[in-house]
């Protein structure tokens, strides 16, 4: 009987000590959570009791805190990126709008039919530029949706690229440039989206026309079972191009340039190519800026 009473007493004392430890641990963790909440602290919960259930609870709460901290950092980064994007777009869109306003006033004040026609032509060109800017923004926004998919079908990659490049004939003439073109003669069947592929080639050629000094080159060939398109142009001697950033949104090698480009063209090209299961890369070789595109060829049968 004495041993039973003694055993019960020991058990009661042990339970009391365990209860005290539990309550002390809970009070301490509550205080830690309060500090973390008030001061946005990176502090984490600690456990000083030898009970695995408490340690597991503390570990899981710390994991949630870590995940929250990571999400907060990502949200802040995205917010800063959004502010930068709005600032860039505001500048890029304001430029043609300001120009439009000026030419509209000149059009209204002019009494010459010839001058009116001249101003109308300029206004139409500015409106076209503005439409292109907005279309780039719309396309880029779609690219940010991870669930956005392109409809891809079998098509002749060579024909699509040839037709797209030929459409720039007048643009090359205006720049006084004769592009170095080297296209293969064989068919290059691929599974892709024709509109998207044309858009990619257009963006690359436009980029070369804007930044090329005296040389522009275009090659199309079959490489390792893939359609391989290359677009290259020479660059200014003092121009620095960060190839690691070239496909990032709003990247502009020359920060001072006043072109109406949004800096989204290459970012859009990358997004479209990847959705067609291809790859795109950039490099600087012998003072030439080079962009390579690879698209898998359609298997026979």
């Amino acid at each position: 009987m004495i041993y039973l009473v003694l055993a019960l007493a020991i058990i009661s004392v042990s339970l009391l000590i365990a209860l005290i430890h539990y309550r002390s641990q809970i009070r301490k963790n509550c205080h830690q959570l309060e500090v973390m909440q008030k001061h946005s602290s990176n502090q984490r919960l600690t456990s000083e009791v030898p009970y695995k259930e408490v340690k597991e609870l503390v570990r899981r709460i710390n994991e949630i805190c870590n995940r929250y901290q990571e999400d907060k950092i990502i949200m802040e980064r995205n917010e800063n990126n959004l502010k930068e994007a709005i600032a860039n777009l505001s500048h890029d869109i304001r430029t043609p709008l300001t120009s439009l306003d000026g030419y509209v006033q000149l059009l209204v004040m002019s009494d010459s039919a010839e001058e009116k026609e001249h101003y109308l032509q300029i206004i139409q060109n500015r409106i076209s530029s503005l439409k292109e800017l907005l279309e780039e923004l719309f396309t880029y926004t779609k690219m940010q949706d991870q669930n956005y998919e392109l409809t891809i079908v079998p098509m002749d990659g060579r024909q699509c690229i040839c037709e797209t490049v030929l459409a720039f004939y007048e643009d090359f003439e205006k720049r006084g440039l004769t592009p170095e073109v080297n296209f293969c003669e064989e068919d290059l069947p691929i599974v892709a989206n024709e509109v998207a592929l044309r858009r990619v080639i257009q963006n690359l050629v436009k980029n070369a026309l804007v930044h090329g000094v005296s040389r522009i080159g275009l090659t199309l060939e079959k490489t390792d079972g893939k359609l391989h398109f290359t677009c290259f142009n020479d660059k200014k001697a003092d121009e620095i191009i960060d190839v690691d950033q070239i496909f990032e949104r709003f990247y502009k090698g020359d920060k001072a340039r006043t072109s109406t480009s949004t800096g989204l063209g290459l970012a859009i090209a990358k997004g479209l190519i990847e959705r067609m299961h291809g790859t795109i890369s950039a490099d600087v070789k012998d003072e030439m800026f080079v962009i390579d595109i690879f698209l898998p060829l359609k298997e026979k049968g």
Side-chain angles (χ1 to χ4, degrees):
M1 183 68 180
I2 294 175
Y3 291 113
L4 178 60
V5 172
L6 183 59
L8 290 173
I10 293 174
I11 293 173
S12 297
V13 171
S14 299
L15 291 174
L16 179 60
I17 292 174
L19 178 62
I20 292 172
H21 283 170
Y22 268 114
R23 296 190 63 181
S24 175
Q25 181 66 49
I26 291 173
R27 282 196 298 269
K28 181 176 182 179
N29 289 150
C30 287
H31 175 69
Q32 290 174 332
L33 286 170
E34 184 179 1
V35 171
M36 291 164 59
Q37 182 181 16
K38 285 184 177 180
H39 303 287
S40 298
S41 170
N42 291 328
Q43 175 185 339
R44 293 296 179 261
L45 302 186
T46 58
S47 173
E48 298 177 356
V49 296
Y51 309 119
K52 64 179 183 179
E53 295 84 359
V54 176
K55 291 182 180 294
E56 178 65 14
L57 177 62
V58 168
R59 185 185 69 80
R60 289 179 180 270
I61 292 176
N62 283 338
E63 282 184 356
I64 294 174
C65 292
N66 290 336
R67 193 175 301 118
Y68 170 78
Q69 191 74 17
E70 292 170 359
D71 291 343
K72 182 180 178 182
I73 292 173
I74 292 173
M75 288 177 62
E76 290 176 351
R77 185 185 302 126
N78 289 340
E79 184 177 350
N80 290 333
N81 288 339
L82 179 60
K83 290 178 181 178
E84 181 184 358
I86 292 174
N88 281 326
L89 287 170
S90 297
H91 175 269
D92 289 328
I93 293 175
R94 188 187 302 117
T95 300
L97 283 177
T98 302
S99 176
L100 269 174
D101 182 61
Y103 281 108
V104 167
Q105 292 183 37
L106 289 172
L107 177 66
V108 172
M109 292 186 297
S110 176
D111 294 324
S112 168
E114 185 177 347
E115 283 187 350
K116 285 180 179 291
E117 181 64 28
H118 175 66
Y119 294 143
L120 277 173
Q121 184 61 48
I122 294 177
I123 290 171
Q124 288 176 345
N125 291 337
R126 296 295 188 275
I127 291 175
S128 295
S129 297
L130 186 57
K131 286 173 65 178
E132 288 184 10
L133 290 175
L134 296 176
E135 180 62 27
E136 278 196 347
L137 175 60
F138 177 67
T139 304
Y140 180 77
T141 302
K142 289 194 296 184
M143 293 294 99
Q144 304 316 294
D145 182 359
Q146 298 300 319
N147 297 320
Y148 174 72
E149 294 183 1
L150 287 173
T151 300
I152 56 177
V153 297
M155 58 175 289
D156 187 342
R158 181 183 181 280
Q159 180 180 348
C160 177
I161 293 175
C162 286
E163 291 175 353
T164 306
V165 170
L166 282 173
F168 283 91
Y169 177 79
E170 292 185 1
D171 299 274
F172 289 126
E173 280 201 327
K174 289 178 182 178
R175 280 292 317 274
L177 294 173
T178 300
E180 302 167 25
V181 180
N182 184 13
F183 283 11
C184 66
E185 295 295 332
E186 62 181 313
D187 294 336
L188 297 173
I190 59 175
V191 179
N193 181 288
E194 183 174 348
V195 174
L197 182 56
R198 289 184 185 277
R199 181 67 178 276
V200 170
I201 303 304
Q202 288 170 355
N203 285 1
L204 298 192
V205 175
K206 286 178 182 177
N207 185 76
L209 281 167
V210 169
H211 297 286
V213 181
S214 60
R215 286 185 64 192
I216 292 180
L218 306 161
T219 66
L220 180 63
E221 59 187 346
K222 177 180 178 181
T223 303
D224 297 330
K226 296 180 180 179
L227 178 154
H228 179 195
F229 176 77
T230 302
C231 179
F232 64 86
N233 62 269
D234 56 348
K235 65 184 189 67
K236 298 175 184 176
D238 59 344
E239 184 179 7
I240 299 176
I241 300 176
D242 187 347
V243 293
D244 294 327
Q245 298 290 321
I246 197 70
F247 295 111
E248 295 297 321
R249 62 180 182 181
F250 308 115
Y251 174 84
K252 297 179 182 180
D254 183 357
K255 300 293 184 181
R257 71 183 178 87
T258 57
S259 168
T260 55
S261 168
T262 60
L264 292 175
L266 296 184
I268 290 172
K270 183 176 187 294
L272 292 174
I273 286 295
E274 290 178 348
R275 279 171 170 77
M276 291 187 286
H277 311 297
T279 59
I280 183 170
S281 61
D283 200 359
V284 176
K285 303 174 183 177
D286 301 324
E287 297 303 311
M288 302 294 288
F289 175 62
V290 184
I291 294 183
D292 289 293
I293 288 176
F294 290 90
L295 287 168
L297 291 176
K298 181 179 180 297
E299 296 181 1
K300 293 182 179 180

